[in-house]
Amino acid sequence: MSATVAARRVAYETIRAVHESDAYANLLLPTSIVRAGLAGADAALATELTYGTLRRQGTYDAVIAIAADRPVHEIDPAVLDALRLGVHQLLSTRVASHAAVNESVELARAAAGRGAAGFANAVLRRVSRDTPGDWMTHVAASARSDDEQLGLLFSHPVWVVRAFRRALAAEGRADELEALLTADNAAPRVTMAALPGLAEPPEDARRTPFSPIGFRLGGGDPEGIVRGSGGRIRVQDEGSQLAALALTRAMPVGAGERWLDLCAGPGGKTAVLAAEALAHGASLEANEISPARAGLVRRALEGVPLEVPVSEQDGRVRAAEARDTYDRILVDAPCTGLGALRRRPEARWRKAPSDVPSLTELQRELLDAAVGALKPGGVVAYVTCSPHLAETAGVVADVRREWGAAIEEISARDVIATLSDADPGLPEQADGSGRAQLWPHRHNTDAMSVTLLRRV
């Protein structure tokens, strides 16, 4: 088997695992690439085929339905994944058409036999006869509404399209919807963080515009730099960096402060907090309900010479047991993850509107418990990797109503602006809050929401 064929097979098997076993592509793919012995261009091909196919799955399913003249749910799932991979190569890469068709047909044959191979061959040859632009015209014409058309063309579920529009409209930027959807379908650039006080970026690195600890490499694999730093340099989205720093730098740190990261997994923000605590003489505790993710938190902290105990409790219980205890608390709440669709493309197909109510209830309970665990004068940062207004503005508004005059807001927008070399352009929200909302299309970050609340 050639390396190129192996790269396609790795991509196909990863996509199958995502759909069949709810695997996470970002966790499975690197291991699969190593096991297959792929490197360089072939590893890059497997990565592009996997993520590109998952990102554009909604569009490709519309193409396949037209070309096959049947709904995609009537197609064998293993054959459908081979078709998706083939359509991605035909419409969105420079892979030769004959190679895209032939290799995808062979994947269908291996999965489901000769009949499936003949069906896949007919569908993909039909797709190959029209240009990508022609297919986008066909897909657009198949939509039953304007929102469905946007969803099909930009490969997002309709409910996500509508949630994004509402979140942008809260900033007076509803006209940026297509730019946001486009950014979600682009591979994110690798951003690094040098833990403050413990590491500096390499001399040839380029500083990021907003985070004072962020940088990007000119090229090459960052893994060597990460390993060589002993964990003090790490791959981390700039929005994630800013969320942690917004808490530590919202106001001057007093001597002997106690900090808590309430929902710490997988530990990227925890490591930034630990470095900041070490630099300012504060102590830090972390909590993560999932034992596996708690293990990731401990690993993330290995590069910081600070003892950080990591508990494994429900965050609501953990905070309730520590009333009036902490000076700063980070609540990086479980959420829909709609802000990280660039790097977790399968998430858009796994979430549904019905997930939002239970998540917002959990988020409210976590934030309410965290406020109760603050000392008077203490600050909580409420963070979601989602711009959905129910998970951001709605949760904060409910908690503020509950606590009334006992809490006040610190403008996260102003704090982040003071951290940044460039103007992040964070406009006032429609609700008049100080919430900071970052965006992939504006800031080249995940769509991170940050709110800062101070207990009076």
Side-chain angles (χ1 to χ4, degrees):
M1 183 187 302
S2 73
T4 302
V5 171
R8 289 192 179 94
R9 184 163 294 280
V10 164
Y12 174 73
E13 290 174 353
T14 302
I15 293 166
R16 285 298 303 132
V18 165
H19 292 139
E20 192 173 36
S21 308
D22 286 338
Y24 291 92
N26 65 316
L27 300 179
L28 177 60
L29 181 61
T31 303
S32 299
I33 285 173
V34 171
R35 286 177 178 167
L38 301 179
D42 296 307
L45 176 62
T47 301
E48 153 57 24
L49 294 181
T50 301
Y51 283 109
T53 301
L54 290 172
R55 286 189 188 103
R56 301 288 293 170
Q57 176 179 311
T59 305
Y60 298 152
D61 281 2
V63 171
I64 291 166
I66 295 169
D69 195 25
R70 69 182 69 175
V72 293
H73 69 262
E74 294 182 1
I75 300 173
D76 179 276
V79 176
L80 179 59
D81 279 336
L83 289 172
R84 288 165 171 159
L85 187 59
V87 172
H88 176 62
Q89 293 172 80
L90 288 169
L91 300 186
S92 301
T93 75
R94 297 180 179 178
V95 172
S97 293
H98 69 275
V101 172
N102 293 342
E103 293 300 331
S104 299
V105 167
E106 287 307 309
L107 290 171
R109 185 192 310 278
R114 290 179 59 187
F119 170 71
N121 183 65
V123 172
L124 292 174
R125 292 198 180 282
R126 170 68 187 90
V127 174
S128 70
R129 287 200 293 270
D130 287 355
T131 67
D134 290 337
W135 276 111
M136 293 309 99
T137 300
H138 300 329
V139 167
S142 72
R144 295 165 295 183
S145 69
D146 290 345
D147 281 352
E148 184 176 70
Q149 185 177 95
L150 280 174
L152 292 176
L153 292 176
F154 291 95
S155 194
H156 285 67
V158 170
W159 77 274
V160 175
V161 171
R162 291 171 177 163
F164 283 172
R165 181 188 289 112
R166 287 191 290 270
L168 287 166
E171 300 182 350
R173 291 173 166 170
D175 60 340
E176 296 181 8
L177 177 59
E178 290 191 13
L180 171 59
L181 298 175
T182 299
D184 265 354
N185 289 330
R189 298 168 65 186
V190 175
T191 305
M192 316 285 289
L195 293 182
L198 297 174
E200 290 293 331
E203 289 185 3
D204 60 345
R206 185 161 53 85
R207 295 276 187 172
T208 54
F210 308 120
S211 169
I213 65 171
F215 66 94
R216 295 191 180 95
L217 300 174
D221 186 351
E223 185 60 30
I225 294 173
V226 172
R227 283 199 308 268
S229 74
R232 298 182 178 192
I233 290 177
R234 55 201 312 109
V235 175
Q236 187 174 18
D237 180 73
E238 191 176 9
S240 174
Q241 299 171 35
L242 289 168
L245 293 173
L247 175 63
T248 64
R249 304 189 184 185
M251 58 187 187
V253 179
E257 284 192 6
R258 292 184 66 182
W259 300 355
L260 172 64
D261 188 350
L262 190 59
C263 311
K269 298 180 186 71
T270 321
V272 175
L273 294 180
E276 289 274 278
L278 179 66
H280 292 94
S283 64
L284 173 66
E285 300 163 36
N287 178 73
E288 170 54 50
I289 190 172
S290 161
R293 286 169 64 84
L296 296 176
V297 175
R298 295 184 182 99
R299 194 175 312 155
L301 291 165
E302 289 174 354
V304 184
L306 179 72
E307 186 66 28
V308 179
V310 181
S311 56
E312 299 177 9
Q313 290 181 264
D314 184 313
R316 295 165 291 188
V317 176
R318 176 71 171 79
E321 292 176 346
R323 298 283 295 187
D324 310 320
T325 298
Y326 296 101
D327 298 281
R328 299 177 201 240
I329 300 177
L330 175 64
V331 180
D332 186 12
C335 66
T336 55
L338 298 183
L341 299 184
R342 301 176 307 159
R343 66 187 75 253
R344 300 188 191 99
E346 67 272 17
R348 71 187 77 184
W349 313 118
R350 288 182 173 170
K351 298 296 183 181
S354 57
D355 295 321
V356 176
S358 59
L359 281 168
T360 54
E361 181 179 4
L362 173 60
Q363 291 155 0
R364 278 192 295 271
E365 292 172 353
L366 285 166
L367 181 54
D368 177 71
V371 172
L374 288 173
K375 295 176 182 177
V379 178
V380 60
Y382 173 67
V383 176
T384 63
C385 191
S386 169
H388 196 299
L389 291 179
E391 298 185 89
T392 56
V395 167
V396 173
D398 287 348
V399 172
R400 292 198 67 182
R401 278 192 295 270
E402 180 72 22
W403 283 86
I407 56 174
E408 62 184 13
E409 186 171 16
I410 298 171
S411 174
R413 293 197 305 275
D414 290 348
V415 172
I416 289 174
T418 63
L419 293 172
S420 304
D421 288 336
D423 179 5
L426 299 170
E428 184 173 332
Q429 298 290 320
D431 60 4
S433 72
R435 184 171 67 89
Q437 179 65 62
L438 301 170
W439 295 104
H441 68 293
R442 283 192 153 266
H443 306 105
N444 198 30
T445 67
D446 291 344
M448 199 77 66
S449 171
V450 183
T451 296
L452 298 171
L453 299 175
R454 178 178 177 270
R455 186 169 176 185
V456 177

